[in-house]
Every structure is written in C-alpha cells, then in structure tokens.
C-alpha cells in the first residue's frame, strides 16, 4: 500500500515521469531489444519503492527547512575528522584491511562493548564491521533468515526491515506498539507492546524478532521488564533477536539503555547492531557493526565476504580512535556519548515547546533524535491536496506542509504496515539533531502558521 | 537437496547442540540461511592469515604498497575538512559530483551519452557492484557463464543468487615453444558457443583478467558480444584494471560494441584506478533499465556509500578528464611504472626456474611451477591441489606469500591448472626482500643472486 502511495508521490513530483521518458527514448532508438528475459530477479519483486527516495527529493528545495531525513546538520566532533585526515595520510591506511573489520576498530569495539555488556567479547569472532547499521541488518537477514521463515517486526519500524525480510524470502509479521488507553500521549513511554498480542505472533516458523531501542521514529526506550518479556518469548520459542541499537547513546535523563543481549539466555541468540554514524554524528561514513556470539556472527561474516568483502580502511581507523578516546572518558560529562545526549535533550525540549505552541501535540521521546507530532488538533483541511482518496492523512499533511509551509517532515505511516495505518496517520516525524539556526527557522515557520 | 533441506527444517529431531562454557544451548533448527551454504570458504581469508602468521613477504593479495597519488590524497583531505555535509548521507545511488564526473569521463570512451542519475550506481567497491548485478538479475536456476580463470568471488555470488555457474576456460594456444604471454590464452569460439543454453542469463568477463592479465582484443570481445546478442544474454564486464595495460595493449570496452550498451554491466573501481583499494568506492555503469534493478538491491543492502571518499574520487576524475591522454595523466604514469616492475619480477621468476606468463594488463603475474620439484613435509595439505601445497610451503618455509591459481578455477577444471601460482607486482619495497627468498627454491643449489632493486631511497614515486 505504501508503495502505491510512494509511486503516486513520485508521479506528482514529476520524478517518475522524467525517468520514464528517458527510458522510452532509449527503447525507441535501440535496434534489437528483445527484453523478454531481461527482467529483474524475483527477490526484488515489489521492493523498488523507497520512502526516502520520494521524500528526499521533496525536501531538496533549499528554501525548505528540512526536519525530515535523520542526519545531523551539526558538525561532528573535530577530533574525529582529525583522526580521519591523519589515517588517510598513512600509506597502509589507503589499502585493504581485514575483511571482517579493521583490527584496531574491532579491538576498540570489543573494549567498549565488553565493558558495557560486562563480558569478554572476542574482537575477531564476535564482531563484524559493516557498511552502516544498515549493512549489519542486511547481513543478519541474509545470513540467518531462510526462505519461508517468519520475522516479527514491531511497528512503527525503521522502514528497511520489511523489504530486507522480504528480500530474504521470509514473511514479515507485524505487531504495533499501542497507546495506553485513556492517556493523552505525552511521552514515548506511553507506547507499549501487549504481551498477549506479542505472544500470539510467535510460532514454529518464527526465526527472529527485530527490536529497535531507542526506537525510530517514536523514541521509545524499552525497559528491562519489556525486554525480559521479549526475551522470555525468544527463549520459549527458540528464536533469534536482532537488536538495532544505533541510537544507544542518545538516552535522555531518567532513562537507561538496556541491551537485550545482556539478559540471561540472550547472548547466544542475539545480534546487537551499532552505528558509527549515529554515535559520532557522521552518518556519511557508513560504518556500523554487529556484535554477537561466534556461532551467529560467522554466518554474517560469510555474507560479508560474498557481498562487499571489506569496509573502508581510513574510516575504520578514525572510528577506532574516536572510540578509544571516549572509552577513557565513559560516564564523564566530556565523553561524547554523554555530551551529545545532553545537547540533544535541550534541542528535544525546544522542539517540543515550539510544536506545542502551535497547538500540535508532541510525543516526547525518551531516546533517539526524532519526535512524533500529533497534528490532529490543527484540524488542517487537506481536501484540496492532490492525491489518492486512500492516501494516508500524514502523507497528505507532509506534502502540504512542504509546499505551503516550507517545512519538511516524514509521514509516520511510512513506518507501519497497512493494518496499522489508521492508528498512526495523524503523526508526522521531526528530526531535531539540527543546528540552533535550523530549529529557529522551523520555529519561525510554526509561529507564523499559528497566526494564520 | 531441497527435500533434505525441507526435512531438516521441519524436523525437531535434528538439533544443533552448542556447548558454551559447559552450558548446553539447544537450537532446534538450522541457524544459518541456506543461501550461505557452500560459500563460507574463502581463499583470501585463508591465505592472508597464513601470510600474516608467518610474517611472509606478501605478494599474494592484490593491493599496492605505495600511496595513492598526491592529487587524490589532497582531494580526500579537502573533503574531510569540508563542511558538515561531507560527513553526512549523500545521494544513495551515488554522490552527485561523482556520478556526474563518471558520466562525463566514460561517455566519450564508451561512445554513448551516459546519464549520471539513471545509468550509474556507485557501490562499496567493485565487489558490491558485482553483488548487486547478480542479485538484481539472477534467479534460481539461471545459468551464468564464467570465463576461467576468474576472480574467485564470481562463483559464490552466482551461487548465493541461486544461479548455476557454467565454466569455460581460457586455454594456452597450442604452443610451439613456451607460452609466454597472457595474449596466448584464448577462448575457443566453439567451446564458448556450446555453453549457451536457453537458461543462460549472463556471461561474466574480466578484462584485464585477474589472475592471468589477459587484455581481450576487439575481435575476442566481438565474438562474445555476438553470442550475447544471439542468445539474448547479459554481459557483466569486470574492468577494474582498465587503466593498467602494458606493451601498448589497448583496453576495449565490450559495452562500446554495437548492440551491447543495453545488455552490458560495466564494473569499475576507484581502488584500482587510483591505487586506493582501502577506500572501497566502485561503480556499475549500464543502461538505466538494468541499473534501476541494481538500485533496488543497493537500497535494500547498504543504501548509501561513504560521502567523503566519493567526493575525492569525483575530484580525481575531474583532474584526469583534463589531462587525459597526456603524460601528466595518472592513467599513463601508473601503467608505465608498473610495466617496469612487471618486467623485473618476470626476469627474477625466470632466473629461478619459475616460468612466468607475461601479463598484458593488471596487477598480477602468474608463474608455472612445474619445473620446480619440492618435497613437501606438510601432511596437513596432502589432499590439496599442487599449487595450494606449493604456496603454503613457499609461505611457511621461504617467507614468500603468493596465491594458488587453481583457486580461480572451477572444480571441474582446477586439476588442469594446478601448476600456476600468482604474484602481485604492484609493490615497491617488498620486492627487494623477495629475491633473497627466491634463491633458495631450486634444489640444484644454484645460487643466483639477482638484485632486483636499488635501495629504497631511489624508489620514491612522485605523481603530480
């Protein structure tokens, strides 16, 4: 369903038209095209549409204040850029390194996560470095998910989980986070998993459950009890757990990031995914990692050696330096893992205040750098917005907002399956890891909106 | 096979019992996905580890031991110290400056107006471009013709995509005398034609070839092209060493032949182009109707590639565009320098009884080890092919690492070719140590001290 919506969005923006006409021209001028056999492989059937391709082009207009796609417009720490420049000046660092992860990086990761998890982590057998957290997710799916398996995904989910599961020939089984009834939503903690409902999703075909904590887009930080509930089911049904923890350091006051892999019985069935991009505000470095037991990691390594073999060397060296530096300071205010969270908490609060001021209702996130905003109370009439009758409200709202208000966000139904659209279509997602000037520009727009 | 797999999956009797810290963990099912069956072994992992363990002079894995040219290192530094956007996500299918400079650069070479946004996909090295091609285009049961010897990843990638690899070897021409050049290794037109079936989806070629170094001539590519067109097959053309041709050999792009643009995926590599293998920037160039499917794979695998490295490579191509064909071009200077290294290594190998096959292009030289008789004391390798045993012995006993060439052959043909080993000559400093090891190989105890190189100080490479 979201594919149809995205396709129409593309059509409206003229994107699809443009590319279609180029292809048409080419077909007309080529001689012997018997294209009957040049169709794509079955594994990508229906996976071609992507919400980012659609919305990134919408927000590309420089006059639009972009609170959509999740990347910082604040600079990364200078020592990490410095470390990269230094690494690139060493001859060896411009050539291939160890396929499964640059030695200094896997050793640094082993130190950091060994401490955090309270266990010895073998840098060579229990860690794989990948192209972003994205690459780790892919390696998990390809390495461990079989055709015909089922994989449980909690809604709202980072949108790539579903196509990746489908590309592995498996079936995504969705379960939504639900809002505590009778409560006016104010924080991400008010969204919970119903234990009976979750339990009902497990069966003998369930290979894995994917969890994301802190969650994108809601910002929920799963509590120990909630993770224990999930863990109990994993152990009972003998399933794996892929835990996407890319925002692990971005936890706000009063909350604690818990690693499900540290719960009893879970290390041996969990892959934990992390990201240099989110950790050091360098999303453009595309480095991530999977941490887990050897008997699982080795299959991810097999995928790695047959897909891209190795990740970029100087970037890995620089991340290693950054990790070691912050490892020394872990728990202290100077540690980037702490200081970034503190900086973002201020931005979160500012964003929430701005949004409330306009009459919208924010869902205050416990972690991560996104905020859900309920636009219901604005009662915005979107009947004039060109689109399909069955296009979700949030898609229409975002399109209207980009065009009329020059402010970009992401519609939250992009992160849910068809059956849950009704529950989420009054929400849009804002990214607040932005410079003060960007937030100020957003504030201006929203203030003038209120006057209208 | 499928039946057994299904039985295994549904049966609760089959258990994998893992013992960890004396604690039994019982997994009642197969852990790994079947697509990873049979693709877990990897020659690089094995032999790189061996070279490291024995601290051998490593002429095995193919990467330079010198730095990338100054202009590209500067471009990288400039990108790194550029604004915040250099460190954040760029366009998923390729950083705009890079795809624009690639389109500009290669359009005039391929003779076709390349659309930067539709016809190019930037990937994490050429390796990922190959992966995207196979995943996007090969279905279960499709056949893919692979020309041997082949860069080893083609076979597991085809397998992982559910395809069936069909092999056709390059063979040395019936020689009146020793086979001296990679140009003497040819495809039989009849043999290649016989490999095409209605199930053939694609042919994979690599020119210049790794490991032999063959640079396919236009007539040879035309022969392959004719078959692709006749059988409506695709062509995946791995051209990572495209700038490294010697003795005046010309690199020809099969995509530039009539009728081939719309059915060829040409794979390139910044790592090999600019001697920066550790940057892992590559690309696939093809007609938009093919690239769009590779984009779907890419957006569901890694999605983006690193920004700063792409920016630097874009600057590199801009610079090369301006000086193309002139003596200042890195694409002139690098092959000129490497040709000398190739020649020196070839004479050194000859002097100790290893017969080199002179490569017309690429990073590698293969040598025939038949005339060297070694008494292996290694029981652990007794079941392995001869070249594997030889390389392990060479690494462990002589401190010199190479790669066995039968690793680049299918099981059905590897026996024919287990008398060749591969050396990488894109090395500066390593070479001088190598001579001291090579002199001990001949059992006739002839000591031939061949001084390959002067002292390191004369080895400075300066590319502007």
């Amino acid at each position: 369903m979201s594919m149809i919506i995205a396709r129409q969005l593309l059509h409206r923006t003229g994107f699809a038209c443009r590319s279609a006409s180029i292809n048409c021209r080419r077909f007309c001028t080529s001689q012997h095209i018997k294209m009957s056999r040049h169709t794509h492989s079955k594994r990508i059937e229906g996976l071609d549409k992507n919400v980012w391709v659609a919305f990134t082009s919408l927000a590309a207009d420089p006059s639009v204040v972009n609170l959509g796609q999740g990347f910082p417009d604040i600079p990364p720490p200078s020592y990490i850029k410095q470390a990269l420049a230094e690494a690139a000046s060493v001859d060896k660092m411009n050539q291939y390194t160890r396929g499964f992860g640059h030695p200094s990086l896997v050793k640094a990761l082993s130190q950091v996560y060994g401490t955090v998890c309270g266990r010895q982590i073998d840098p060579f057998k229990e860690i794989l470095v990948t192209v972003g957290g994205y690459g780790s997710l892919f390696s998990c799916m390809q390495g461990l998910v079989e055709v015909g398996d089922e994989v449980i995904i909690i809604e709202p989910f980072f949108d790539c989980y579903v196509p990746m599961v489908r590309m592995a020939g498996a079936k995504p089984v969705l379960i939504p986070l639900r809002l505590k009834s009778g409560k006016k939503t104010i924080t991400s903690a008010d969204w919970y998993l119903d234990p009976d409902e979750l339990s009902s999703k497990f069966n003998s075909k369930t290979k894995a459950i994917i969890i994301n904590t802190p969650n994108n887009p809601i910002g929920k930080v799963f509590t120990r009890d909630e993770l224990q509930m999930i863990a109990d089911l994993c152990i009972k049904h003998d399933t794996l757990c892929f835990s996407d923890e890319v925002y692990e350091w971005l936890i706000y006051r009063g909350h604690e990031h818990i690693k499900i892999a540290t719960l009893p019985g879970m290390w041996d069935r969990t892959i934990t995914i992390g990201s240099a991009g989110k950790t050091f505000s360098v999303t453009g470095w595309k480095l991530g990692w999977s941490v887990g037991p050897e008997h699982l990691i080795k299959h991810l390594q097999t995928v790695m050696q047959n897909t891209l073999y190795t990740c970029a060397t100087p970037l890995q060296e620089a991340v290693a330096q950054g990790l070691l530096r912050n490892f020394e300071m872990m728990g202290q205010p100077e540690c980037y893992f702490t200081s970034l969270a503190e900086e973002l908490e201020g931005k979160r609060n500012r964003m929430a205040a701005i949004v409330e001021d306009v009459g919208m209702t924010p869902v205050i996130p416990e972690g991560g750098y996104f905020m859900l905003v309920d636009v219901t109370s604005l009662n915005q009439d979107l009947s004039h917005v060109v689109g399909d009758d069955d296009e979700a409200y949030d898609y229409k709202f975002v399109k209207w907002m980009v065009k009329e208000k020059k402010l970009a966000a992401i519609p939250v139904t992009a992160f849910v399956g068809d059956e849950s659209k009704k529950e989420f279509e009054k929400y849009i997602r804002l990214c607040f890891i932005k410079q003060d000037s960007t937030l100020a520009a957003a504030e201006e727009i929203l203030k003038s909106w209120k006057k209208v | 096979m499928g039946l057994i797999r299904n039985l295994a999956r549904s049966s609760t009797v089959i258990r994998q019992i893992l013992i960890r810290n004396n604690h039994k963990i019982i997994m009642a099912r197969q852990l790994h996905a079947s697509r990873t069956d049979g693709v877990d072994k990897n020659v690089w992992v094995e032999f790189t580890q061996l070279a490291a363990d024995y601290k051998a002079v490593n002429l095995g894995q193919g990467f330079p031991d010198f730095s990338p040219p100054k202009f590209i290192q500067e471009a990288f530094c400039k990108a790194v110290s550029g604004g915040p956007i250099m460190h954040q996500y760029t366009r998923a299918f390729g950083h705009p400056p890079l795809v624009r400079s690639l389109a500009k650069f290669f359009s005039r070479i391929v003779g076709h107006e390349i659309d930067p946004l539709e016809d190019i996909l930037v990937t994490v090295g050429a390796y990922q471009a190959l992966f995207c091609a196979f995943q996007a285009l090969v279905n279960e049961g499709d056949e893919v013709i692979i020309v041997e010897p082949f860069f080893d990843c083609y076979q597991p990638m085809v397998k992982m995509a559910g395809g069936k690899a069909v092999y056709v070897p390059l063979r040395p021409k019936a020689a009146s005398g020793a086979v001296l050049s990679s140009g003497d290794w040819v495809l039989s037109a009849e043999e290649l034609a016989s490999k095409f079936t209605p199930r053939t989806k694609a042919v994979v070629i690599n020119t210049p070839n790794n490991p032999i170094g063959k640079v396919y001539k236009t007539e040879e590519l035309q022969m392959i092209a004719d078959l692709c067109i006749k059988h409506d097959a695709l062509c995946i053309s791995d051209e990572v060493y495209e700038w490294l041709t010697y003795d005046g050999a010309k690199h020809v792009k099969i995509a530039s032949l009539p009728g081939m643009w719309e059915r060829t995926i040409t794979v390139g590599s910044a790592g090999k182009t600019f001697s920066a293998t550790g940057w892992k920037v590559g690309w696939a160039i093809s007609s938009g109707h093919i690239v769009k499917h590779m984009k779907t794979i890419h957006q569901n695998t890694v999605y983006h590639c690193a920004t700063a490295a792409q920016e630097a490579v874009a600057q590199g191509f801009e610079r090369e565009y301006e000086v193309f064909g002139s003596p200042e071009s890195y694409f002139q200077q690098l092959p000129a320098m490497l040709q000398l290294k190739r020649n020196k290594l070839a004479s050194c190998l000859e002097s100790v009884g290893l017969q080199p096959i002179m490569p017309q292009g690429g990073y590698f030289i293969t040598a025939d080890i038949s005339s060297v008789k070694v008494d292996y004391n290694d029981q652990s390798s007794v079941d392995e092919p001869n070249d594997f045993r030889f390389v392990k012995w060479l690494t462990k006993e002589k401190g010199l690492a190479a790669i066995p060439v039968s690793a680049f052959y299918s099981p059905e043909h590897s026996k024919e070719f287990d008398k060749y080993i591969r050396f990488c000559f894109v090395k500066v400093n390593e070479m001088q140590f190598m001579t001291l090891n090579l002199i001990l190989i001949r059992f006739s105890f002839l000591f031939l001290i061949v001084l390959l190189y002067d002292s390191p100080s004369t080895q400075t490479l300066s590319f502007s």
Side-chain angles (χ1 to χ4, degrees), chain A residues 178-211:
Chain A
R178 294 191 183 283
L179 191 47
K180 281 182 187 148
S181 59
K183 257 200 128 170
K184 187 177 162 150
T185 311
I186 40 170
T187 86
S188 54
D190 296 317
W191 294 78
Y192 71 102
L193 273 181
D194 181 299
D196 294 329
E197 191 180 6
L198 180 60
S199 182
S200 74
K201 303 289 181 179
F202 281 79
N203 62 45
S204 60
K205 288 202 176 135
T206 310
K207 188 65 183 280
I209 177 170
I210 305 175
I211 66 169

Short mmCIF file of all heavy atoms in Angstrom, two decimals, chain A residues 178-211:
data_model
loop_
_atom_site.label_atom_id
_atom_site.label_comp_id
_atom_site.label_asym_id
_atom_site.label_seq_id
_atom_site.Cartn_x
_atom_site.Cartn_y
_atom_site.Cartn_z
N ARG A 178 1.25 0.02 21.06
CA ARG A 178 -0.08 0.59 21.26
C ARG A 178 -0.03 1.68 22.31
O ARG A 178 0.80 1.66 23.22
CB ARG A 178 -1.06 -0.50 21.68
CG ARG A 178 -1.30 -1.52 20.57
CD ARG A 178 -2.48 -2.44 20.88
NE ARG A 178 -2.65 -3.44 19.84
CZ ARG A 178 -3.21 -3.21 18.65
NH1 ARG A 178 -3.65 -2.00 18.33
NH2 ARG A 178 -3.34 -4.19 17.76
N LEU A 179 -0.96 2.62 22.17
CA LEU A 179 -1.02 3.74 23.10
C LEU A 179 -1.83 3.34 24.31
O LEU A 179 -2.88 2.72 24.19
CB LEU A 179 -1.74 4.88 22.36
CG LEU A 179 -1.74 6.27 22.96
CD1 LEU A 179 -0.36 6.65 23.40
CD2 LEU A 179 -2.27 7.22 21.91
N LYS A 180 -1.27 3.68 25.49
CA LYS A 180 -2.04 3.37 26.71
C LYS A 180 -3.36 4.11 26.64
O LYS A 180 -3.40 5.30 26.39
CB LYS A 180 -1.24 3.81 27.95
CG LYS A 180 -0.15 2.82 28.30
CD LYS A 180 0.62 3.21 29.56
CE LYS A 180 1.81 2.26 29.73
NZ LYS A 180 2.97 2.90 30.35
N SER A 181 -4.43 3.37 26.87
CA SER A 181 -5.74 3.97 26.68
C SER A 181 -6.05 4.98 27.76
O SER A 181 -5.60 4.85 28.89
CB SER A 181 -6.82 2.88 26.68
OG SER A 181 -6.79 2.21 27.90
N GLY A 182 -6.78 5.98 27.36
CA GLY A 182 -7.21 7.00 28.31
C GLY A 182 -6.13 8.00 28.64
O GLY A 182 -6.33 8.91 29.44
N LYS A 183 -4.97 7.83 28.02
CA LYS A 183 -3.89 8.76 28.32
C LYS A 183 -3.70 9.72 27.16
O LYS A 183 -3.71 9.30 26.02
CB LYS A 183 -2.59 7.99 28.53
CG LYS A 183 -2.17 7.83 29.97
CD LYS A 183 -0.69 7.52 30.04
CE LYS A 183 -0.06 8.51 31.00
NZ LYS A 183 1.27 8.28 31.38
N LYS A 184 -3.53 10.95 27.49
CA LYS A 184 -3.15 11.88 26.43
C LYS A 184 -1.66 11.64 26.21
O LYS A 184 -0.88 11.71 27.13
CB LYS A 184 -3.40 13.30 26.94
CG LYS A 184 -3.20 14.33 25.86
CD LYS A 184 -3.51 15.75 26.36
CE LYS A 184 -2.86 16.73 25.41
NZ LYS A 184 -3.51 17.97 25.26
N THR A 185 -1.33 11.35 24.99
CA THR A 185 0.06 10.98 24.72
C THR A 185 1.00 12.10 25.08
O THR A 185 0.87 13.20 24.58
CB THR A 185 0.25 10.70 23.23
OG1 THR A 185 -0.77 9.83 22.80
CG2 THR A 185 1.59 10.10 22.95
N ILE A 186 1.93 11.83 25.95
CA ILE A 186 2.95 12.84 26.13
C ILE A 186 4.36 12.31 25.96
O ILE A 186 5.25 13.05 25.55
CB ILE A 186 2.83 13.58 27.48
CG1 ILE A 186 2.48 12.61 28.61
CG2 ILE A 186 1.80 14.71 27.40
CD1 ILE A 186 2.58 13.24 29.98
N THR A 187 4.59 11.03 26.25
CA THR A 187 5.94 10.52 26.01
C THR A 187 5.92 9.19 25.29
O THR A 187 4.89 8.52 25.21
CB THR A 187 6.73 10.33 27.33
OG1 THR A 187 6.43 9.04 27.87
CG2 THR A 187 6.43 11.39 28.35
N SER A 188 7.11 8.82 24.82
CA SER A 188 7.24 7.57 24.08
C SER A 188 7.02 6.36 25.01
O SER A 188 6.75 5.26 24.56
CB SER A 188 8.61 7.48 23.41
OG SER A 188 9.65 7.68 24.36
N ALA A 189 7.11 6.61 26.32
CA ALA A 189 6.90 5.50 27.27
C ALA A 189 5.44 5.07 27.32
O ALA A 189 5.11 4.00 27.85
CB ALA A 189 7.37 5.92 28.66
N ASP A 190 4.56 5.93 26.78
CA ASP A 190 3.15 5.58 26.78
C ASP A 190 2.79 4.60 25.69
O ASP A 190 1.64 4.19 25.56
CB ASP A 190 2.31 6.85 26.63
CG ASP A 190 2.49 7.78 27.81
OD1 ASP A 190 2.51 7.27 28.96
OD2 ASP A 190 2.66 8.99 27.61
N TRP A 191 3.76 4.24 24.88
CA TRP A 191 3.54 3.25 23.83
C TRP A 191 4.12 1.93 24.31
O TRP A 191 5.25 1.87 24.76
CB TRP A 191 4.21 3.71 22.54
CG TRP A 191 3.56 4.96 21.99
CD1 TRP A 191 3.74 6.23 22.43
CD2 TRP A 191 2.62 5.03 20.94
NE1 TRP A 191 2.97 7.11 21.72
CE2 TRP A 191 2.28 6.40 20.78
CE3 TRP A 191 2.04 4.09 20.10
CZ2 TRP A 191 1.36 6.83 19.82
CZ3 TRP A 191 1.15 4.53 19.13
CH2 TRP A 191 0.81 5.88 19.00
N TYR A 192 3.34 0.87 24.22
CA TYR A 192 3.77 -0.40 24.80
C TYR A 192 3.38 -1.56 23.90
O TYR A 192 2.55 -1.44 23.02
CB TYR A 192 3.12 -0.58 26.18
CG TYR A 192 1.63 -0.85 26.07
CD1 TYR A 192 1.14 -2.16 26.23
CD2 TYR A 192 0.72 0.16 25.78
CE1 TYR A 192 -0.21 -2.44 26.09
CE2 TYR A 192 -0.63 -0.11 25.63
CZ TYR A 192 -1.09 -1.40 25.79
OH TYR A 192 -2.43 -1.68 25.64
N LEU A 193 4.04 -2.69 24.17
CA LEU A 193 3.70 -3.93 23.47
C LEU A 193 2.74 -4.73 24.34
O LEU A 193 3.01 -4.94 25.52
CB LEU A 193 4.96 -4.79 23.28
CG LEU A 193 5.83 -4.56 22.06
CD1 LEU A 193 7.00 -5.54 22.09
CD2 LEU A 193 5.04 -4.73 20.76
N ASP A 194 1.65 -5.17 23.77
CA ASP A 194 0.72 -6.01 24.52
C ASP A 194 1.30 -7.43 24.59
O ASP A 194 1.52 -8.06 23.56
CB ASP A 194 -0.63 -6.03 23.79
CG ASP A 194 -1.64 -6.87 24.52
OD1 ASP A 194 -1.40 -8.09 24.70
OD2 ASP A 194 -2.67 -6.31 24.95
N PRO A 195 1.55 -7.93 25.81
CA PRO A 195 2.22 -9.23 25.94
C PRO A 195 1.46 -10.38 25.26
O PRO A 195 2.07 -11.23 24.62
CB PRO A 195 2.29 -9.46 27.46
CG PRO A 195 2.12 -8.13 28.07
CD PRO A 195 1.30 -7.31 27.12
N ASP A 196 0.15 -10.39 25.41
CA ASP A 196 -0.62 -11.48 24.80
C ASP A 196 -0.57 -11.39 23.28
O ASP A 196 -0.44 -12.40 22.58
CB ASP A 196 -2.07 -11.45 25.27
CG ASP A 196 -2.18 -11.74 26.76
OD1 ASP A 196 -1.32 -12.51 27.27
OD2 ASP A 196 -3.09 -11.20 27.41
N GLU A 197 -0.67 -10.17 22.81
CA GLU A 197 -0.64 -9.98 21.36
C GLU A 197 0.72 -10.41 20.81
O GLU A 197 0.80 -11.11 19.80
CB GLU A 197 -0.89 -8.50 21.03
CG GLU A 197 -1.16 -8.26 19.56
CD GLU A 197 -1.42 -6.80 19.22
OE1 GLU A 197 -1.29 -5.93 20.11
OE2 GLU A 197 -1.74 -6.54 18.04
N LEU A 198 1.80 -10.03 21.51
CA LEU A 198 3.13 -10.40 21.05
C LEU A 198 3.29 -11.92 21.06
O LEU A 198 3.78 -12.52 20.10
CB LEU A 198 4.20 -9.75 21.94
CG LEU A 198 5.65 -10.07 21.56
CD1 LEU A 198 5.97 -9.60 20.14
CD2 LEU A 198 6.63 -9.45 22.55
N SER A 199 2.85 -12.51 22.12
CA SER A 199 2.97 -13.97 22.25
C SER A 199 2.26 -14.69 21.10
O SER A 199 2.76 -15.69 20.58
CB SER A 199 2.38 -14.38 23.60
OG SER A 199 2.50 -15.74 23.78
N SER A 200 1.14 -14.13 20.70
CA SER A 200 0.36 -14.77 19.63
C SER A 200 1.05 -14.72 18.27
O SER A 200 0.70 -15.45 17.35
CB SER A 200 -1.02 -14.09 19.51
OG SER A 200 -0.87 -12.82 18.90
N LYS A 201 2.06 -13.86 18.15
CA LYS A 201 2.75 -13.73 16.86
C LYS A 201 3.82 -14.77 16.66
O LYS A 201 4.30 -14.99 15.55
CB LYS A 201 3.40 -12.33 16.73
CG LYS A 201 2.45 -11.18 16.88
CD LYS A 201 1.52 -11.05 15.69
CE LYS A 201 0.59 -9.85 15.87
NZ LYS A 201 -0.32 -9.68 14.75
N PHE A 202 4.23 -15.42 17.77
CA PHE A 202 5.29 -16.43 17.66
C PHE A 202 4.71 -17.77 17.25
O PHE A 202 3.66 -18.18 17.75
CB PHE A 202 5.99 -16.60 19.02
CG PHE A 202 6.99 -15.53 19.34
CD1 PHE A 202 6.58 -14.28 19.80
CD2 PHE A 202 8.36 -15.77 19.20
CE1 PHE A 202 7.51 -13.29 20.10
CE2 PHE A 202 9.29 -14.78 19.50
CZ PHE A 202 8.87 -13.54 19.95
N ASN A 203 5.39 -18.45 16.35
CA ASN A 203 5.03 -19.83 16.02
C ASN A 203 6.29 -20.57 15.60
O ASN A 203 7.39 -20.02 15.68
CB ASN A 203 3.94 -19.86 14.93
CG ASN A 203 4.40 -19.22 13.64
OD1 ASN A 203 5.51 -19.46 13.17
ND2 ASN A 203 3.55 -18.39 13.06
N SER A 204 6.12 -21.80 15.14
CA SER A 204 7.30 -22.62 14.84
C SER A 204 8.10 -22.08 13.65
O SER A 204 9.24 -22.47 13.45
CB SER A 204 6.88 -24.05 14.57
OG SER A 204 6.00 -24.08 13.46
N LYS A 205 7.49 -21.19 12.88
CA LYS A 205 8.23 -20.66 11.72
C LYS A 205 9.00 -19.39 12.08
O LYS A 205 9.79 -18.88 11.28
CB LYS A 205 7.25 -20.30 10.60
CG LYS A 205 6.63 -21.48 9.92
CD LYS A 205 6.12 -21.06 8.55
CE LYS A 205 5.58 -22.26 7.81
NZ LYS A 205 4.29 -21.93 7.18
N THR A 206 8.77 -18.87 13.27
CA THR A 206 9.41 -17.61 13.63
C THR A 206 10.91 -17.81 13.81
O THR A 206 11.34 -18.54 14.68
CB THR A 206 8.82 -17.05 14.94
OG1 THR A 206 7.40 -17.05 14.85
CG2 THR A 206 9.33 -15.65 15.21
N LYS A 207 11.69 -17.15 12.94
CA LYS A 207 13.14 -17.28 13.05
C LYS A 207 13.72 -16.22 13.96
O LYS A 207 14.69 -16.44 14.66
CB LYS A 207 13.77 -17.16 11.65
CG LYS A 207 15.28 -17.48 11.61
CD LYS A 207 15.52 -18.93 11.95
CE LYS A 207 16.99 -19.29 12.00
NZ LYS A 207 17.59 -19.52 10.71
N ALA A 208 13.15 -15.00 13.88
CA ALA A 208 13.73 -13.90 14.64
C ALA A 208 12.68 -12.84 14.92
O ALA A 208 11.64 -12.78 14.27
CB ALA A 208 14.89 -13.28 13.86
N ILE A 209 13.01 -12.01 15.92
CA ILE A 209 12.26 -10.79 16.15
C ILE A 209 13.26 -9.64 16.06
O ILE A 209 14.41 -9.76 16.52
CB ILE A 209 11.53 -10.80 17.51
CG1 ILE A 209 10.82 -9.45 17.75
CG2 ILE A 209 12.44 -11.17 18.67
CD1 ILE A 209 9.88 -9.45 18.94
N ILE A 210 12.82 -8.55 15.41
CA ILE A 210 13.70 -7.38 15.32
C ILE A 210 13.19 -6.36 16.33
O ILE A 210 12.00 -6.04 16.33
CB ILE A 210 13.64 -6.74 13.92
CG1 ILE A 210 13.96 -7.77 12.84
CG2 ILE A 210 14.63 -5.57 13.83
CD1 ILE A 210 13.81 -7.24 11.42
N ILE A 211 14.09 -5.89 17.18
CA ILE A 211 13.71 -4.79 18.06
C ILE A 211 14.63 -3.62 17.80
O ILE A 211 15.74 -3.78 17.30
CB ILE A 211 13.69 -5.19 19.56
CG1 ILE A 211 15.10 -5.52 20.05
CG2 ILE A 211 12.75 -6.35 19.81
CD1 ILE A 211 15.15 -5.66 21.57
#
